[in-house]
Amino acid sequence: MRLLLVEDDRLLADGLSGQLEKAGFSVDTTYTAREALILGEQEDYRVAVLDLGLPDGNGLDVLRKWRISHVSYPVLILTARGDWQDKVNGLKAGADDYLAKPFQTEELIARLNAIVRRSEGRVHSTVTAGRFELDENRQSLKLNDGTEHSLTGTEFRLLRCLMSRPGHVFSKEQLMEQLYNLNESPSDNVIEAYIRRLRKLVGNDTISTRRGQGYLFNDGV
């Protein structure tokens, strides 16, 4: 899942980015309202974390402009502890959840997973497609015979993307956008390499290649 982190405290942002990556997110980080406005509208994110106190503007204004521009992915706002008015204003402006500083990273990750699940119409922390069940908390894949396989962070992100929309063709470019942040420059054949690894787990026919188009997950196989 690709995530936009807007936080002007660089030390906090760096620490959060590392923890979020471990939790299965591909993170783009920005420290200003100006860049947040641009990235939030032009990039394909699944969720955003938005600090309200930015050096060059108000996070609430960023949020309002995103929603006016039809940016629809979930947004969690970070507020100062005890500032209930910011929480209310944030929710009215289109935020999906809030968290007061200081906070535990585990709670942030749990809340992010929850609002992403709600945006996808799910209530459980698993993604099920056919005979396969992907556990978001454990980053593992369970087969219908009960066997469970642990996944690397990139394997998990790729499989989650494919399983979230069975039968949908994802282009290589779309998958790259969800797997890697703007600062990473993976090689052109990295998707093919991970697809080969995942096929060893789920079977060659479960992940199909559409020549010239991309890849799709077959939940009926």
Side-chain angles (χ1 to χ4, degrees):
M1 288 183 290
R2 197 169 174 204
L3 179 148
L4 175 60
L5 173 61
V6 186
E7 170 57 63
D8 68 313
D9 183 332
R10 292 175 181 261
L11 186 60
L12 175 60
D14 290 346
L16 286 178
S17 178
Q19 292 299 311
L20 290 167
E21 292 277 0
K22 289 180 182 179
F25 294 95
S26 176
V27 183
D28 288 334
T29 303
T30 181
Y31 313 103
T32 66
R34 179 179 178 277
E35 192 173 32
L37 275 172
I38 297 171
L39 289 177
E41 293 180 9
Q42 75 180 17
E43 299 295 328
D44 183 22
Y45 295 107
R46 298 295 288 273
V47 65
V49 177
L50 174 62
D51 184 23
L52 298 186
L54 299 172
D56 61 336
N58 191 319
L60 282 175
D61 292 333
V62 173
L63 178 57
R64 292 189 186 101
K65 290 176 181 177
W66 280 349
R67 294 312 191 212
I68 290 173
S69 300
H70 306 291
V71 172
S72 59
Y73 50 76
V75 176
L76 183 148
I77 58 173
L78 300 178
T79 70
R81 178 174 297 278
D83 195 341
W84 64 269
Q85 192 64 57
D86 271 353
K87 299 172 186 176
V88 172
N89 291 339
L91 293 171
K92 286 182 177 180
D96 297 84
D97 200 358
Y98 60 82
L99 195 57
K101 295 180 178 180
F103 54 82
Q104 295 296 321
T105 307
E106 290 83 357
E107 182 179 1
L108 173 64
I109 292 170
R111 286 179 177 272
L112 288 172
N113 283 326
I115 61 176
V116 169
R117 287 199 303 270
R118 289 200 298 270
S119 73
E120 296 175 348
R122 297 186 293 117
V123 294
H124 301 294
S125 60
T126 55
V127 178
T128 302
R131 56 195 176 92
F132 303 99
E133 183 179 282
L134 190 66
D135 189 317
E136 294 178 324
N137 294 330
R138 297 166 59 87
Q139 292 193 20
S140 63
L141 178 70
K142 183 181 290 186
L143 310 184
N144 61 347
D145 62 2
T147 58
E148 188 171 356
H149 301 273
S150 296
L151 302 171
T152 67
T154 304
E155 289 171 344
F156 170 75
R157 290 195 295 272
L158 176 56
L159 192 54
R160 189 196 184 286
C161 189
L162 292 169
M163 287 179 62
S164 67
R165 298 179 66 184
H168 177 82
V169 178
F170 289 91
S171 69
K172 186 188 298 185
E173 292 74 20
Q174 289 174 319
L175 293 174
M176 293 278 274
E177 285 182 355
Q178 291 299 321
L179 292 180
Y180 298 101
N181 62 45
L182 294 173
N183 295 322
E184 295 176 301
S185 301
S187 61
D188 290 339
N189 63 349
V190 67
I191 295 296
E192 289 94 331
Y194 277 105
I195 289 290
R196 286 196 297 269
R197 289 168 61 168
L198 290 176
R199 280 174 171 158
K200 292 179 181 180
L201 293 178
V202 301
N204 290 333
D205 294 332
T206 302
I207 301 177
S208 300
T209 301
R210 292 286 177 87
R211 192 167 300 278
Q213 295 180 291
Y215 303 93
L216 64 86
F217 192 92
N218 297 304
D219 59 348
V221 175

